[in-house]
Amino acid sequence: MEVIRSQKRTVSNDVVSTPTLPLYLTAPHMEVRLEEFELFAIDRLRVLKGVSDGLARARNPNEMDDLVETLWKEHMRLSNVSEMINKDIISHFVLRLVYCRSDELKKWFLSMETALFRHRFRLKKIEEQRAIVGEFGLPYKAVIGAELESLKERLGLVARSHGQISSDGTCNMLYFDPMFTLSHLAVKLVPFLMEKFLSFLSFAVENIYYKVPFEEVPDLVASRRVLLQKGFAFVAGTQLVSLVVTQFRSHLSKALILTNRKWTTTIREREKDRLTPIVEALSTSYLGPDYSQSNEYADISLKDIDQVSKSSFPLCMRHLFEKLREDHHLKHGGRMQLGLFLKGVGLKLDDALAFWREEFTKKVGSERFDKEYAYAIRHNYGKEGKRTDYTPYACSKIITSAPGAGDHHGCPYRHFSEDNLKAALSRMGLSSRGMEDVMDKVRNRHYQLACTLTFEAVYGTSCDTGINHPNQYFEESQKILKSKTPAAPV
Amino acid sequence: MTREETETSGEDMMIDDPKPKIENDFNVHYLRIYYGNLFPYTDIHKWLSYGHDGKHPGCDEYYFGRREFSFTLENDVYLRYKSFKNASLMEAAIKSNFPYKIDIGAVYSVDPDKRHAYAQSGTNLFTPVERELVFDIDITDYDDVRYCCSGADVCSKCWPLMTVAIKVIDTSLREDFGFKHILWVFSGRRGVHCWVCDAKARRLTNEQRSAVAEYFRVYKGNENNAKKVDLMGHSLHPFLARSYVDFIKSFFEGELQATQSIFSSKEKYEKILGMITDEDIQADLRGKWENSARSSLSEEATSLLRWEQLKKALQSKRNKALSLRTCVEEIVFTFTYPRIDLEVSKQMNHLLKAPFCVHPKTGRVCVPIDPNNCDEFDPLAVPTLSQLIEEINSGGLRMDVDDDDSDSSLLGKSIKFFRSSFLEPLLKSCKEEIESSYKTKIAKTKDSFSW
């Protein structure tokens, strides 16, 4: 894959002929524009994060199928099919570079790509599925003849043990024995015979059995969905997903190790002025709106700020706010985190200055405030220095910050002790049941999900997109509260 | 006394008394004599070397040295990540420590001694690469279905549960999974361990081990559910069907009734009635059995009769509800089907007690069990430390592991069995594998020289 700056992209003919679910076995021979390098990867990352969210919420396989279909359409769809396939392949390989760089990143990427593949595979028709199996070059042959004969009865038992039975009590799994089925058909009436014959045809196509070493299909073995004999599992055509997903995962796992090696030895240095910064930024990137421009929901004035902090602030900001009121001071990290948040929430510069001045002068006096702190506030609003209008921090940034002694910034779900967090949650009004759910997410290190569950518990509503940004929490909260009491300030 | 990293191993070993009582047939002095004279160091080394004895150019001479062992010493001192370059170093270490328990862990990518040197970078280079597929069956997991003993005790009435477990699992490992080199070992008190040593088994990943363990799992019980075995579907999987027909049905209807009398008291039969989902049948049977409470039949005969009545009651309603179809089988499975400790099997780095150790609570040696003759095995007749020491003292024999007369002594029989039916076939197969993979490697390098 060659990354270029030119306007046109040349694509090799191989790409067009691959099926619609690529296996990413080898890096493609194509040129990629630099902008696409990043943008395609970001879109795919949105899909993977959606998958991650779905899995963390324990969606069942059918729900995951739907979720994947929706996510794919939303982020990866392009006007023509070959463009879509290109984007699919390019984005995957870019993300390999991003996520090969540590064990933790590898593990996440492997899980999400495997899940994505599994559900995209499940959505394909059986012929396409079989074509994909062929693509992998798996050496498994269909079971036929005398061997099949000897296994037939037990294969039927396996199928029946998982309830695949038709209403007339006969077993639906035909194991492709034309003689058996024809003699069975011979005694039936003609229309019934025709119907059975036609359904026989479709079954015959589907219910072929493959002889596969049992290690290749661990999930089918674990649930006793296959017959085992002398170390081999007999996998039905309809069970191909398991086989293929295991292969996919194993291949990708090995590929990531190789990619990592290449990255550390050559690519990272060679690309340090071009691709490397993009790659390094992608793994921690936040993908939602940046809240640098506040909107109509969020114009707050100073007189409302205390009330609003109790009703609509996420826990991280509420904590900072309370500490500021308590200590009349915040250290740098806290000032940045809270200050930018308030900007995103709609606090104008003049009000911000007044707000911070009110608190800080209780401790340091107004002269020192003007000298040491006012400048920084103006800087945040882009009125000083290089005039960058800084954007409020997203959850990913807050979670990865490291509050030290005397600091109050960071993410409480990550940085608080269990006891302190529980106390804080109960002050927000969570019941003990709700708290347990939140703590469970915290223990599994799903900090943003914990915050989402808190949101859902506090406002009695579900938040399907999940919380990714404190300002998002604030906006959603305001929406809900305003819809309940339109007139009064909330 | 320091305590290094701990790892839970198969059997929960808490040494309650600092000074073990002599009436338990165990004491430190005897242990020293045992490890000084009787423990089969060479056999264990040969086993765990899997043919890498340095005699063939294809051997990996460092293979044995990358295996983790752990020692549990007197006073609960636990030493992990022990490794030995060869048999004599292993022997020397055991003879200087006289461990109460020796555990065998995995073969790692590097010598466990040197693991810290490799843990520096972001990716972990100290990982397990081979480990036998192991199973641990402990009779305390059956406490809800055995009435003769509970807890650490075991007797001739409940031991047959272990026998049935061995038969079911051993058959499946060979027939379904195709494994050949399987070692069953008495755990010393109340259970059995299984070591599957085929090369394929040793290379299984954690996920694959988990799959095998789940394949065997049927019982999903805790005190909160009355019905702990749920066999859904319209038929049993062939593995379960074979286990039922070949082993557990006859065991349930024969020996189990005789030893456990599972229907003979109200408390006992209520437990079984709770597994029947049809309330009418429950009430019907309950009525019958309450009325016949004072019959003159023996406990065993009463149980058998009530079992027949139960089967008949279910048979008549079989076609009405799907859940009743498999009820009979479910009850049989609940009382007899093997219950393995899943956690032991799932992870490569899990440590398990070595064969030929001595159990500190019972003084019995962890001897191999022949799966083809497991009906004959009696846990209460296994040689104890004091019996072995007695034998040495009276016979004046110094136990020599290469002695041809060894099969006449108490431990000799076990060692001979270990060698002839397990070790020799295993080593033969290992040599063949080393030979063939060496040949393949040579052939490949030859190709690469082609111009």
Side-chain angles (χ1 to χ4, degrees), chain A residues 323-347:
Chain A
K323 282 295 168 192
L324 176 61
R325 286 289 192 220
E326 220 177 276
D327 301 336
H328 312 298
H329 190 273
L330 275 181
K331 289 178 105 171
H332 178 260
R335 293 200 298 272
M336 291 301 284
Q337 190 173 307
L338 181 61
L340 288 171
F341 170 75
L342 291 174
K343 185 175 82 148
V345 145
L347 195 64

PDB file of all heavy atoms in Angstrom, chain A residues 323-347:
ATOM      1  N   LYS A 323     -15.232  21.341  44.633  1.00  0.00           N
ATOM      2  CA  LYS A 323     -13.943  21.590  45.269  1.00  0.00           C
ATOM      3  C   LYS A 323     -13.546  23.051  45.129  1.00  0.00           C
ATOM      4  O   LYS A 323     -12.941  23.632  46.035  1.00  0.00           O
ATOM      5  CB  LYS A 323     -12.856  20.690  44.635  1.00  0.00           C
ATOM      6  CG  LYS A 323     -12.896  19.272  45.137  1.00  0.00           C
ATOM      7  CD  LYS A 323     -12.559  19.198  46.618  1.00  0.00           C
ATOM      8  CE  LYS A 323     -12.880  17.843  47.176  1.00  0.00           C
ATOM      9  NZ  LYS A 323     -12.833  17.828  48.650  1.00  0.00           N
ATOM     10  N   LEU A 324     -13.874  23.620  43.991  1.00  0.00           N
ATOM     11  CA  LEU A 324     -13.563  25.029  43.774  1.00  0.00           C
ATOM     12  C   LEU A 324     -14.327  25.893  44.766  1.00  0.00           C
ATOM     13  O   LEU A 324     -13.764  26.795  45.400  1.00  0.00           O
ATOM     14  CB  LEU A 324     -13.912  25.432  42.344  1.00  0.00           C
ATOM     15  CG  LEU A 324     -13.731  26.907  41.983  1.00  0.00           C
ATOM     16  CD1 LEU A 324     -12.274  27.316  42.140  1.00  0.00           C
ATOM     17  CD2 LEU A 324     -14.190  27.160  40.552  1.00  0.00           C
ATOM     18  N   ARG A 325     -15.581  25.592  44.956  1.00  0.00           N
ATOM     19  CA  ARG A 325     -16.402  26.348  45.902  1.00  0.00           C
ATOM     20  C   ARG A 325     -15.890  26.164  47.330  1.00  0.00           C
ATOM     21  O   ARG A 325     -15.908  27.073  48.151  1.00  0.00           O
ATOM     22  CB  ARG A 325     -17.870  25.897  45.832  1.00  0.00           C
ATOM     23  CG  ARG A 325     -18.643  26.366  44.598  1.00  0.00           C
ATOM     24  CD  ARG A 325     -18.934  27.828  44.616  1.00  0.00           C
ATOM     25  NE  ARG A 325     -19.886  28.253  43.605  1.00  0.00           N
ATOM     26  CZ  ARG A 325     -19.757  29.389  42.902  1.00  0.00           C
ATOM     27  NH1 ARG A 325     -18.710  30.164  43.102  1.00  0.00           N
ATOM     28  NH2 ARG A 325     -20.684  29.735  42.015  1.00  0.00           N
ATOM     29  N   GLU A 326     -15.400  24.945  47.586  1.00  0.00           N
ATOM     30  CA  GLU A 326     -14.942  24.598  48.939  1.00  0.00           C
ATOM     31  C   GLU A 326     -13.590  25.221  49.262  1.00  0.00           C
ATOM     32  O   GLU A 326     -13.393  25.823  50.298  1.00  0.00           O
ATOM     33  CB  GLU A 326     -14.779  23.079  48.984  1.00  0.00           C
ATOM     34  CG  GLU A 326     -15.236  22.389  50.250  1.00  0.00           C
ATOM     35  CD  GLU A 326     -15.078  20.875  50.096  1.00  0.00           C
ATOM     36  OE1 GLU A 326     -16.002  20.265  49.522  1.00  0.00           O
ATOM     37  OE2 GLU A 326     -14.028  20.338  50.498  1.00  0.00           O
ATOM     38  N   ASP A 327     -12.633  25.020  48.333  1.00  0.00           N
ATOM     39  CA  ASP A 327     -11.256  25.439  48.608  1.00  0.00           C
ATOM     40  C   ASP A 327     -10.926  26.808  48.053  1.00  0.00           C
ATOM     41  O   ASP A 327      -9.849  27.332  48.332  1.00  0.00           O
ATOM     42  CB  ASP A 327     -10.266  24.444  47.979  1.00  0.00           C
ATOM     43  CG  ASP A 327     -10.441  23.029  48.490  1.00  0.00           C
ATOM     44  OD1 ASP A 327     -10.975  22.866  49.609  1.00  0.00           O
ATOM     45  OD2 ASP A 327     -10.045  22.092  47.770  1.00  0.00           O
ATOM     46  N   HIS A 328     -11.803  27.342  47.239  1.00  0.00           N
ATOM     47  CA  HIS A 328     -11.564  28.610  46.540  1.00  0.00           C
ATOM     48  C   HIS A 328     -10.289  28.550  45.716  1.00  0.00           C
ATOM     49  O   HIS A 328      -9.595  29.544  45.541  1.00  0.00           O
ATOM     50  CB  HIS A 328     -11.504  29.777  47.547  1.00  0.00           C
ATOM     51  CG  HIS A 328     -12.646  29.732  48.508  1.00  0.00           C
ATOM     52  ND1 HIS A 328     -13.956  29.831  48.095  1.00  0.00           N
ATOM     53  CD2 HIS A 328     -12.677  29.522  49.845  1.00  0.00           C
ATOM     54  CE1 HIS A 328     -14.739  29.717  49.163  1.00  0.00           C
ATOM     55  NE2 HIS A 328     -13.998  29.522  50.232  1.00  0.00           N
ATOM     56  N   HIS A 329     -10.000  27.360  45.239  1.00  0.00           N
ATOM     57  CA  HIS A 329      -8.779  27.207  44.447  1.00  0.00           C
ATOM     58  C   HIS A 329      -8.851  25.893  43.680  1.00  0.00           C
ATOM     59  O   HIS A 329      -9.496  24.936  44.105  1.00  0.00           O
ATOM     60  CB  HIS A 329      -7.553  27.188  45.380  1.00  0.00           C
ATOM     61  CG  HIS A 329      -6.259  27.266  44.634  1.00  0.00           C
ATOM     62  ND1 HIS A 329      -5.611  26.159  44.151  1.00  0.00           N
ATOM     63  CD2 HIS A 329      -5.501  28.328  44.261  1.00  0.00           C
ATOM     64  CE1 HIS A 329      -4.511  26.532  43.521  1.00  0.00           C
ATOM     65  NE2 HIS A 329      -4.415  27.852  43.576  1.00  0.00           N
ATOM     66  N   LEU A 330      -8.188  25.863  42.542  1.00  0.00           N
ATOM     67  CA  LEU A 330      -7.984  24.591  41.843  1.00  0.00           C
ATOM     68  C   LEU A 330      -6.607  24.654  41.219  1.00  0.00           C
ATOM     69  O   LEU A 330      -6.167  25.715  40.766  1.00  0.00           O
ATOM     70  CB  LEU A 330      -8.995  24.406  40.704  1.00  0.00           C
ATOM     71  CG  LEU A 330     -10.369  23.825  41.013  1.00  0.00           C
ATOM     72  CD1 LEU A 330     -11.183  23.704  39.733  1.00  0.00           C
ATOM     73  CD2 LEU A 330     -10.269  22.459  41.684  1.00  0.00           C
ATOM     74  N   LYS A 331      -5.946  23.491  41.168  1.00  0.00           N
ATOM     75  CA  LYS A 331      -4.642  23.465  40.516  1.00  0.00           C
ATOM     76  C   LYS A 331      -4.826  23.491  39.004  1.00  0.00           C
ATOM     77  O   LYS A 331      -5.939  23.415  38.493  1.00  0.00           O
ATOM     78  CB  LYS A 331      -3.873  22.221  40.958  1.00  0.00           C
ATOM     79  CG  LYS A 331      -3.427  22.323  42.416  1.00  0.00           C
ATOM     80  CD  LYS A 331      -2.703  21.082  42.856  1.00  0.00           C
ATOM     81  CE  LYS A 331      -1.218  21.371  42.945  1.00  0.00           C
ATOM     82  NZ  LYS A 331      -0.486  20.254  43.569  1.00  0.00           N
ATOM     83  N   HIS A 332      -3.699  23.550  38.318  1.00  0.00           N
ATOM     84  CA  HIS A 332      -3.731  23.785  36.878  1.00  0.00           C
ATOM     85  C   HIS A 332      -4.629  22.808  36.124  1.00  0.00           C
ATOM     86  O   HIS A 332      -5.466  23.211  35.301  1.00  0.00           O
ATOM     87  CB  HIS A 332      -2.309  23.741  36.310  1.00  0.00           C
ATOM     88  CG  HIS A 332      -2.275  23.925  34.836  1.00  0.00           C
ATOM     89  ND1 HIS A 332      -2.140  22.881  33.955  1.00  0.00           N
ATOM     90  CD2 HIS A 332      -2.393  25.026  34.075  1.00  0.00           C
ATOM     91  CE1 HIS A 332      -2.159  23.340  32.715  1.00  0.00           C
ATOM     92  NE2 HIS A 332      -2.307  24.655  32.761  1.00  0.00           N
ATOM     93  N   GLY A 333      -4.430  21.479  36.383  1.00  0.00           N
ATOM     94  CA  GLY A 333      -5.196  20.460  35.660  1.00  0.00           C
ATOM     95  C   GLY A 333      -6.686  20.686  35.816  1.00  0.00           C
ATOM     96  O   GLY A 333      -7.449  20.606  34.858  1.00  0.00           O
ATOM     97  N   GLY A 334      -7.079  20.979  37.052  1.00  0.00           N
ATOM     98  CA  GLY A 334      -8.490  21.213  37.325  1.00  0.00           C
ATOM     99  C   GLY A 334      -8.999  22.463  36.641  1.00  0.00           C
ATOM    100  O   GLY A 334     -10.113  22.489  36.114  1.00  0.00           O
ATOM    101  N   ARG A 335      -8.183  23.523  36.627  1.00  0.00           N
ATOM    102  CA  ARG A 335      -8.612  24.761  35.982  1.00  0.00           C
ATOM    103  C   ARG A 335      -8.851  24.546  34.503  1.00  0.00           C
ATOM    104  O   ARG A 335      -9.830  25.043  33.935  1.00  0.00           O
ATOM    105  CB  ARG A 335      -7.567  25.867  36.174  1.00  0.00           C
ATOM    106  CG  ARG A 335      -7.409  26.324  37.614  1.00  0.00           C
ATOM    107  CD  ARG A 335      -6.759  27.690  37.678  1.00  0.00           C
ATOM    108  NE  ARG A 335      -5.416  27.727  37.113  1.00  0.00           N
ATOM    109  CZ  ARG A 335      -4.300  27.459  37.801  1.00  0.00           C
ATOM    110  NH1 ARG A 335      -4.365  27.099  39.062  1.00  0.00           N
ATOM    111  NH2 ARG A 335      -3.120  27.539  37.217  1.00  0.00           N
ATOM    112  N   MET A 336      -7.932  23.770  33.904  1.00  0.00           N
ATOM    113  CA  MET A 336      -8.087  23.507  32.462  1.00  0.00           C
ATOM    114  C   MET A 336      -9.346  22.709  32.202  1.00  0.00           C
ATOM    115  O   MET A 336     -10.166  23.051  31.358  1.00  0.00           O
ATOM    116  CB  MET A 336      -6.870  22.733  31.932  1.00  0.00           C
ATOM    117  CG  MET A 336      -5.595  23.531  31.897  1.00  0.00           C
ATOM    118  SD  MET A 336      -5.734  24.996  30.866  1.00  0.00           S
ATOM    119  CE  MET A 336      -5.640  24.262  29.236  1.00  0.00           C
ATOM    120  N   GLN A 337      -9.478  21.602  32.921  1.00  0.00           N
ATOM    121  CA  GLN A 337     -10.594  20.690  32.656  1.00  0.00           C
ATOM    122  C   GLN A 337     -11.929  21.394  32.888  1.00  0.00           C
ATOM    123  O   GLN A 337     -12.823  21.355  32.033  1.00  0.00           O
ATOM    124  CB  GLN A 337     -10.470  19.449  33.539  1.00  0.00           C
ATOM    125  CG  GLN A 337     -11.440  18.332  33.177  1.00  0.00           C
ATOM    126  CD  GLN A 337     -11.172  17.051  33.957  1.00  0.00           C
ATOM    127  OE1 GLN A 337     -10.053  16.542  33.965  1.00  0.00           O
ATOM    128  NE2 GLN A 337     -12.192  16.515  34.599  1.00  0.00           N
ATOM    129  N   LEU A 338     -12.058  22.047  34.032  1.00  0.00           N
ATOM    130  CA  LEU A 338     -13.336  22.686  34.329  1.00  0.00           C
ATOM    131  C   LEU A 338     -13.544  23.931  33.476  1.00  0.00           C
ATOM    132  O   LEU A 338     -14.642  24.189  32.972  1.00  0.00           O
ATOM    133  CB  LEU A 338     -13.403  23.055  35.823  1.00  0.00           C
ATOM    134  CG  LEU A 338     -14.715  23.710  36.281  1.00  0.00           C
ATOM    135  CD1 LEU A 338     -15.895  22.772  36.060  1.00  0.00           C
ATOM    136  CD2 LEU A 338     -14.636  24.120  37.754  1.00  0.00           C
ATOM    137  N   GLY A 339     -12.458  24.702  33.333  1.00  0.00           N
ATOM    138  CA  GLY A 339     -12.573  25.954  32.594  1.00  0.00           C
ATOM    139  C   GLY A 339     -13.022  25.740  31.156  1.00  0.00           C
ATOM    140  O   GLY A 339     -13.935  26.425  30.656  1.00  0.00           O
ATOM    141  N   LEU A 340     -12.416  24.788  30.478  1.00  0.00           N
ATOM    142  CA  LEU A 340     -12.796  24.539  29.088  1.00  0.00           C
ATOM    143  C   LEU A 340     -14.202  23.957  29.007  1.00  0.00           C
ATOM    144  O   LEU A 340     -14.963  24.264  28.078  1.00  0.00           O
ATOM    145  CB  LEU A 340     -11.785  23.601  28.423  1.00  0.00           C
ATOM    146  CG  LEU A 340     -10.418  24.245  28.134  1.00  0.00           C
ATOM    147  CD1 LEU A 340      -9.420  23.192  27.675  1.00  0.00           C
ATOM    148  CD2 LEU A 340     -10.535  25.341  27.094  1.00  0.00           C
ATOM    149  N   PHE A 341     -14.531  23.149  29.976  1.00  0.00           N
ATOM    150  CA  PHE A 341     -15.890  22.585  30.014  1.00  0.00           C
ATOM    151  C   PHE A 341     -16.905  23.722  30.090  1.00  0.00           C
ATOM    152  O   PHE A 341     -17.894  23.741  29.347  1.00  0.00           O
ATOM    153  CB  PHE A 341     -16.027  21.657  31.214  1.00  0.00           C
ATOM    154  CG  PHE A 341     -17.435  21.216  31.499  1.00  0.00           C
ATOM    155  CD1 PHE A 341     -18.068  20.270  30.715  1.00  0.00           C
ATOM    156  CD2 PHE A 341     -18.153  21.759  32.575  1.00  0.00           C
ATOM    157  CE1 PHE A 341     -19.359  19.865  30.974  1.00  0.00           C
ATOM    158  CE2 PHE A 341     -19.447  21.355  32.844  1.00  0.00           C
ATOM    159  CZ  PHE A 341     -20.064  20.396  32.055  1.00  0.00           C
ATOM    160  N   LEU A 342     -16.652  24.679  30.987  1.00  0.00           N
ATOM    161  CA  LEU A 342     -17.597  25.788  31.158  1.00  0.00           C
ATOM    162  C   LEU A 342     -17.693  26.613  29.891  1.00  0.00           C
ATOM    163  O   LEU A 342     -18.767  27.117  29.541  1.00  0.00           O
ATOM    164  CB  LEU A 342     -17.165  26.663  32.344  1.00  0.00           C
ATOM    165  CG  LEU A 342     -17.312  25.985  33.706  1.00  0.00           C
ATOM    166  CD1 LEU A 342     -16.736  26.870  34.809  1.00  0.00           C
ATOM    167  CD2 LEU A 342     -18.781  25.689  34.014  1.00  0.00           C
ATOM    168  N   LYS A 343     -16.555  26.727  29.217  1.00  0.00           N
ATOM    169  CA  LYS A 343     -16.606  27.447  27.946  1.00  0.00           C
ATOM    170  C   LYS A 343     -17.531  26.726  26.982  1.00  0.00           C
ATOM    171  O   LYS A 343     -18.380  27.351  26.331  1.00  0.00           O
ATOM    172  CB  LYS A 343     -15.193  27.542  27.359  1.00  0.00           C
ATOM    173  CG  LYS A 343     -15.155  28.384  26.087  1.00  0.00           C
ATOM    174  CD  LYS A 343     -13.753  28.571  25.581  1.00  0.00           C
ATOM    175  CE  LYS A 343     -13.306  27.366  24.783  1.00  0.00           C
ATOM    176  NZ  LYS A 343     -12.384  27.709  23.696  1.00  0.00           N
ATOM    177  N   GLY A 344     -17.391  25.404  26.914  1.00  0.00           N
ATOM    178  CA  GLY A 344     -18.233  24.612  26.019  1.00  0.00           C
ATOM    179  C   GLY A 344     -19.695  24.683  26.402  1.00  0.00           C
ATOM    180  O   GLY A 344     -20.585  24.570  25.565  1.00  0.00           O
ATOM    181  N   VAL A 345     -19.909  24.876  27.687  1.00  0.00           N
ATOM    182  CA  VAL A 345     -21.272  24.908  28.193  1.00  0.00           C
ATOM    183  C   VAL A 345     -21.950  26.237  27.865  1.00  0.00           C
ATOM    184  O   VAL A 345     -23.173  26.374  27.891  1.00  0.00           O
ATOM    185  CB  VAL A 345     -21.221  24.628  29.713  1.00  0.00           C
ATOM    186  CG1 VAL A 345     -22.249  25.386  30.490  1.00  0.00           C
ATOM    187  CG2 VAL A 345     -21.349  23.145  29.971  1.00  0.00           C
ATOM    188  N   GLY A 346     -21.162  27.241  27.547  1.00  0.00           N
ATOM    189  CA  GLY A 346     -21.745  28.512  27.123  1.00  0.00           C
ATOM    190  C   GLY A 346     -21.389  29.685  28.003  1.00  0.00           C
ATOM    191  O   GLY A 346     -22.001  30.746  27.888  1.00  0.00           O
ATOM    192  N   LEU A 347     -20.419  29.473  28.898  1.00  0.00           N
ATOM    193  CA  LEU A 347     -20.045  30.594  29.762  1.00  0.00           C
ATOM    194  C   LEU A 347     -19.162  31.554  28.963  1.00  0.00           C
ATOM    195  O   LEU A 347     -18.123  31.193  28.459  1.00  0.00           O
ATOM    196  CB  LEU A 347     -19.270  30.042  30.965  1.00  0.00           C
ATOM    197  CG  LEU A 347     -19.092  30.983  32.151  1.00  0.00           C
ATOM    198  CD1 LEU A 347     -20.436  31.333  32.761  1.00  0.00           C
ATOM    199  CD2 LEU A 347     -18.211  30.328  33.196  1.00  0.00           C
TER     200      LEU A 347
END
